[in-house]
Amino acid sequence: MASTKEYLDFIMEQLSNLEEITYRAMMKEYILYYRGKIVGGIYDDRLLVKPVESAIHYMSKVQYELPYDGAKEMLLVEEVDNRKFLEGLFQVMYDELPNPKRKK
């Protein structure tokens, strides 16, 4: 089951108070970027983020899920209706996320 554009639009609206939130479609799913860094993505209508320490400590319930077969586990974000929580999650994760790779 691929992600729906409606779910992406909902998540993007929830994060609309943050600057520089972008996405890229990839294999019928969506990769989410915050200020140029990959934070996570939308896979099968689930918001999954990278399992960095700051996210693990920020979330009240930690649940790991696979975005797709053969991928590394990511954190499932269930509190997608809580705009303040989502914004805070992306903000606390930012410094710990790897910088984008330089294009050749």
Side-chain angles (χ1 to χ4, degrees):
M1 180 173 105
S3 294
T4 61
K5 180 76 165 78
E6 292 82 19
Y7 189 73
L8 169 69
D9 291 342
F10 171 75
I11 296 298
M12 294 301 286
E13 176 60 30
Q14 291 293 85
L15 295 168
S16 64
N17 288 335
L18 296 178
E19 293 182 17
E20 297 183 59
I21 291 287
T22 57
Y23 67 89
R24 190 170 93 201
M26 184 175 285
M27 299 185 291
K28 298 183 182 176
E29 308 294 357
Y30 300 98
I31 307 299
L32 298 179
Y33 297 83
Y34 177 45
R35 296 170 45 197
K37 294 181 178 182
I38 296 174
V39 179
I42 297 174
Y43 306 90
D44 297 329
D45 288 343
R46 299 170 298 160
L47 174 59
L48 302 177
V49 296
K50 291 186 172 241
V52 294
E53 286 296 318
S54 53
I56 292 167
H57 293 297
Y58 186 81
M59 297 172 74
S60 58
K61 178 183 173 191
V62 176
Q63 181 176 338
Y64 292 89
E65 291 202 6
L66 292 174
Y68 51 88
D69 288 338
K72 293 180 181 175
E73 286 186 322
M74 298 178 78
L75 298 174
L76 174 65
V77 181
E78 293 186 299
E79 294 183 54
V80 294
D81 291 330
N82 185 338
R83 175 182 230 135
K84 192 171 196 134
F85 171 82
L86 281 182
E87 291 170 356
L89 176 63
F90 276 49
Q91 290 170 330
V92 300
M93 290 178 67
Y94 181 78
D95 286 338
E96 202 174 339
L97 295 170
N99 288 316
K101 294 178 181 170
R102 297 259 180 224
K103 294 181 181 176
K104 295 180 182 180

